[in-house]
Amino acid sequence: MNLEHRTLDGIDIVKLPERLMMADASTARAAVKEIIGLGTGKLILDLADTTFIDSSGLAVLVSSLQAARKKDGDVYLIHMGNTVRALCELTRLHTVFQIFDDEAAALRALK
Amino acid sequence: MKALVIDDAPDIRIYVRSLLEKWGYEAIDASEGLEGLARIRDSGIPIVVCDWEMPGMSGPDFCRAIRKAEMGHYVYVILLTGRSEKADLVEGLNAGADDFLSKPLDAQVLNARVRVAKRIVHLEQRLAEQNRQLQSSRNKLQQAYDQIQSDLTAAARIQRQMLPTSDRVLLPLRAEWLFLPAAQVSGDSFNFFELTPDRIGFYHLDVSGHGIPAALLSASLNRSLVPGGGPGVAAQADFLDPAMFLTDLNRQLSDADTEVENFATVVYGTLDKRTGEGEIALAGHPLPIIHRRHGEIEYLKPGGLPVGMFPEVAYDSQQFRLDAGERLILYSDGVTECQDAGGEAFGDTQLQAVATTDTPASSQSFTDRLADSLREWRGSSDFEDDISVLVLERQAEAGPES
């Protein structure tokens, strides 16, 4: 899966796909993992396009966070839509992720 | 390579046959079409040089017969003819001839035409061999697939056997449940059991993902969540303390060094059969509902993260109480997230509506009505996610309802 990805001052900004479920989730997982492996561990995941997410999709977010923290980094989530937000709140995951409205706010916090 | 000459004229038959033998073919001859067909059938001959004009079966007749017959291989037919009219050629081709050779015979041209035939027969044989190999791998795949299907069916059967079969252990409490797995094997599970003579334990869980990995985690959790279910967390955990129980379970399942693939949302609680006093802890699960006696719906408070993600997570217990005629509803997100054809979710509101339309007079149970509503909403019985519900009820006191 080719995810839209750019790097700004050592911070990887990755746009997640529209569907983050089942098979799509495992390809996205591999792609994000590779980016974290090559980068500094500071990561912004952009969820602007992500409208379909299930528990496999949540596992992608959590495994990214684990991988980033191993490099003393962190994962910030931006542009979270209502569906993703609802699932994050249901599973209480909003308590472990830093969530920001937009990239500028996330960048300020990560720097 | 074998080749057959069919001609009613002995001189031509023998001439062509001897040419073919000279060029290295294993040549056979026949004086008429039917005999030719029998020869081809007997010895699998792929190349035929056949005269057009013959008493009985003509060359085109022979071609038609060959194309109709199941020889098990391709037969390349060259028709010998003195005809050169376009209509004749068309008739020959339509009958199934592959090539023509005009009389009087030119040995060099015949040699070239038979070489073409040989080339095409080789191609056909290679193709047939490839098809056989494809068919053989396809059969192996089919066998493997059948094996997987039958294993999955067995797994699903074992999984169903882990679900409760009766709520007798709860008496005087009652339970009802609903289990509609999306795939053959499911990530949802639930159960209840006696902890002390007065107190029962219960759980409802939903493992992330689907299929085999989810089912395996679900099965292992089922063992951990039932007293005496197996070694590990169940042996030492305090089943009477839901928060501590989930904290231990989570520590057992989470490993900071392995990547999170599957996790589970869990509700674990205990309930006093006599007093209706309960204690419950939640791990990322949809909020349980208490359906009060007079129809009000109450949600329990949110709990902690799902189990199996981060090792150091603390869980809290909360108290609740069921009065007579009240019930606790535990459900997986497959219920509320069940989508209709337009992609709209069933949602909390409809779940509440189905719960509250219940009356003591209603003969259909809540879970049956919920199953009907979900199928109607979905427009089919094929659900995208596992659907499961466990309801624990403290029965209304005997006598007239107030």
Side-chain angles (χ1 to χ4, degrees):
Chain A
M1 179 179 288
N2 270 328
L3 298 180
E4 202 180 307
H5 167 224
R6 63 203 162 84
T7 307
L8 211 70
D9 299 334
I11 299 168
D12 289 303
I13 304 165
V14 182
K15 196 159 202 176
L16 291 177
E18 185 189 7
R19 293 174 57 90
L20 205 53
M21 350 181 36
M22 300 211 205
D24 304 299
S26 43
T27 46
R29 170 197 288 265
V32 174
K33 196 174 159 185
E34 191 185 338
I35 290 168
I36 296 173
L38 296 171
T40 60
K42 290 183 179 174
L43 186 72
I44 294 176
L45 293 179
D46 186 346
L47 294 157
D49 292 344
T50 308
T51 42
F52 300 98
I53 186 165
D54 67 358
S55 53
S56 317
L58 287 184
V60 174
L61 301 184
V62 173
S63 64
S64 311
L65 185 64
Q66 285 178 320
R69 289 202 175 149
K70 257 181 217 161
K71 298 187 97 171
D72 289 324
D74 206 344
V75 174
Y76 287 12
L77 306 179
I78 60 169
H79 297 138
M80 187 183 269
N82 288 336
T83 325
V84 184
R85 189 177 298 271
L87 193 57
C88 274
E89 284 174 7
L90 175 73
T91 50
R92 317 300 298 155
L93 277 177
H94 64 298
T95 60
V96 294
F97 282 102
Q98 305 259 27
I99 301 167
F100 294 91
D101 289 341
D102 56 34
E103 193 179 301
L107 281 173
R108 270 197 304 277
L110 262 174
K111 273 175 186 169
Chain B
M1 185 174 280
K2 286 178 182 167
L4 172 70
V5 187
I6 308 173
D7 201 314
D8 57 316
D11 52 339
I12 297 186
R13 200 162 74 221
I14 290 159
Y15 173 58
V16 173
R17 182 181 155 177
S18 62
L19 282 177
L20 288 170
E21 280 170 344
K22 198 174 91 185
W23 296 326
Y25 297 91
E26 194 184 320
I28 299 165
D29 62 69
S31 59
E32 46 95 25
L34 281 177
E35 188 196 343
L37 281 174
R39 287 290 171 87
I40 293 168
R41 211 182 290 280
D42 294 344
S43 40
I45 299 161
I47 300 173
V48 178
V49 180
C50 178
D51 192 20
W52 183 300
E53 311 271 4
M54 290 187 292
M57 187 179 261
S58 73
D61 287 343
F62 171 81
C63 288
R64 274 186 284 271
I66 271 284
R67 297 302 169 228
K68 238 168 92 178
E70 284 291 336
M71 292 296 179
H73 65 279
Y74 191 72
V75 180
Y76 191 97
V77 184
I78 303 170
L79 281 182
L80 293 178
T81 177
R83 303 169 181 223
S84 53
E85 293 298 316
K86 203 156 61 172
D88 293 329
L89 292 182
V90 169
E91 192 204 338
L93 286 171
N94 282 344
D98 295 288
D99 202 355
F100 297 94
L101 203 54
S102 42
K103 287 181 184 172
L105 269 180
D106 178 320
Q108 267 185 312
V109 178
L110 175 65
N111 191 2
R113 294 288 166 87
V114 177
R115 272 207 307 267
V116 170
K118 192 173 160 185
R119 204 162 63 221
I120 286 174
V121 166
H122 273 309
L123 281 174
E124 192 274 330
Q125 284 170 347
R126 220 162 63 203
L127 200 64
E129 177 54 30
Q130 282 169 356
N131 277 340
R132 263 193 297 281
Q133 283 170 7
L134 269 179
Q135 186 61 41
S136 145
S137 357
R138 215 189 78 96
N139 290 346
K140 281 184 200 146
L141 274 178
Q142 184 65 44
Q143 278 167 15
Y145 179 79
D146 290 346
Q147 181 65 48
I148 290 170
Q149 285 302 311
S150 96
D151 288 353
L152 282 173
T153 308
R157 195 176 57 240
I158 292 166
Q159 234 180 1
R160 279 167 195 275
Q161 285 166 358
M162 291 181 189
L163 297 177
T165 49
S166 142
D167 61 355
R168 219 166 357 166
V169 65
L170 302 181
L171 283 170
L173 300 174
R174 297 305 302 269
E176 56 172 307
W177 53 87
L178 175 66
F179 181 63
L180 304 170
Q184 263 172 322
V185 287
S186 162
D188 283 11
S189 192
F190 51 86
N191 214 336
F192 44 77
F193 36 82
E194 189 173 63
L195 289 172
T196 70
D198 282 339
R199 214 161 179 87
I200 60 146
F202 58 87
Y203 67 82
H204 187 247
L205 66 92
D206 179 356
V207 172
S208 69
H210 301 273
I212 305 283
L216 284 175
L217 179 55
S218 182
S220 123
L221 280 169
N222 273 319
R223 281 161 63 87
S224 297
L225 284 161
V226 178
V233 74
Q236 64 260 13
D238 187 351
F239 278 87
L240 291 169
D241 183 344
M244 190 57 75
F245 185 82
L246 285 192
T247 307
D248 285 348
L249 182 69
N250 177 59
R251 199 173 292 133
Q252 179 103 351
L253 288 175
S254 314
D255 181 351
D257 294 326
T258 40
E259 200 180 330
V260 169
E261 298 261 6
N262 288 98
F263 56 88
T265 68
V266 187
V267 173
Y268 176 76
T270 68
L271 181 59
D272 190 302
K273 295 197 273 190
R274 312 282 159 189
T275 63
E277 302 281 354
E279 193 176 0
I280 198 168
L282 274 61
H285 208 66
L287 300 183
I289 295 172
I290 295 182
H291 182 208
R292 294 293 180 201
R293 192 169 18 168
H294 298 295
E296 308 90 50
I297 290 286
E298 279 176 26
Y299 280 91
L300 294 182
K301 291 194 292 290
L305 290 167
V307 295
M309 285 183 171
F310 306 99
E312 295 310 319
V313 177
Y315 295 89
D316 294 322
S317 290
Q318 50 185 307
Q319 316 293 324
F320 68 96
R321 184 188 150 83
L322 292 184
D323 280 326
E326 297 184 338
R327 58 194 179 185
L328 176 68
I329 303 171
L330 312 175
Y331 55 96
S332 61
D333 63 351
V335 174
T336 42
E337 296 298 317
C338 173
Q339 290 181 355
D340 70 3
E344 199 187 330
F346 190 71
D348 296 308
T349 330
Q350 292 201 75
L351 174 60
Q352 293 166 26
V354 178
T356 51
T357 46
D358 188 22
T359 61
S362 142
S363 58
Q364 207 187 11
S365 71
F366 161 65
T367 46
D368 286 346
R369 276 182 289 120
L370 183 60
D372 287 349
S373 302
L374 285 167
R375 285 195 194 98
E376 193 181 328
W377 181 257
R378 179 86 187 142
S380 83
S381 295
D382 292 330
F383 296 102
E384 273 198 326
D385 194 4
D386 302 325
I387 285 177
S388 63
V389 181
L390 173 63
V391 183
L392 298 173
E393 183 173 3
R394 200 170 170 213
Q395 288 182 284
E397 309 284 344
E401 272 287 295
S402 57

